[in-house]
Amino acid sequence: QVQLVESGGGLVQPGGSLKLVCTASGRAFNTYTVGWFRQAPGKEREFVAALRSTNSNPYYTDSVKGRFTCSRDNAKNTVYLQMNNLKPEDTAVYYCAAGSRIILSSLRQPDAYDYWGQGTQVTVSY
């Protein structure tokens, strides 16, 4: 069992930055694939980024490549999402997720993940 808690959301102007933090409790978190998803009002939950336990190269959706960076510190059971050059279309509730048996082709599918945090609101606006 894994519990996830996100923090770091808030209101930021376009072009600004935020760093989301996902702290996990539970055993063997370092063996889990971790992902970030977001959901805007009236839209489906969408994949943002993911990082596998055994692969140092993160995966990103195209719209955030070059602006967002996903990283993890297994010693601290923590995952980060550094978001730079934020745009109004990045506004959403951001969720951290974790799963233990996720194949590469399912990395972007919310249903592949077993555990979810409660979400943190990110609003990009003047």
Side-chain angles (χ1 to χ4, degrees):
Q1 191 78 1
V2 173
Q3 291 80 43
L4 304 172
V5 178
E6 303 99 332
S7 61
L11 173 64
V12 63
Q13 293 187 356
S17 298
L18 283 174
K19 186 173 185 177
L20 303 185
V21 181
C22 175
T23 303
S25 60
R27 300 175 63 180
F29 179 72
N30 61 316
T31 67
Y32 284 74
T33 292
V34 292
W36 288 97
F37 290 78
R38 65 187 180 186
Q39 189 166 19
K43 295 188 177 181
E44 293 187 353
R45 191 167 297 189
E46 67 168 349
F47 171 79
V48 175
L51 191 59
R52 306 187 77 180
S53 63
T54 57
N55 189 330
S56 62
N57 297 316
Y59 300 85
Y60 301 100
T61 192
D62 287 345
S63 63
V64 308
K65 285 180 181 177
R67 300 189 298 123
F68 290 13
T69 302
C70 180
S71 62
R72 67 191 297 169
D73 185 339
N74 286 332
K76 296 182 178 180
N77 275 10
T78 302
V79 183
Y80 306 97
L81 185 67
Q82 177 67 47
M83 306 186 294
N84 298 328
N85 191 21
L86 282 161
K87 304 176 180 181
E89 52 264 42
D90 295 318
T91 295
V93 177
Y94 282 70
Y95 297 91
C96 174
S100 60
R101 301 181 182 88
I102 302 178
I103 60 176
L104 187 56
S105 60
S106 297
L107 210 61
R108 290 167 168 79
Q109 305 303 318
D111 290 347
Y113 292 78
D114 303 308
Y115 305 104
W116 291 83
Q118 82 289 350
T120 186
Q121 176 71 47
V122 171
T123 302
V124 186
S125 177
Y126 288 107

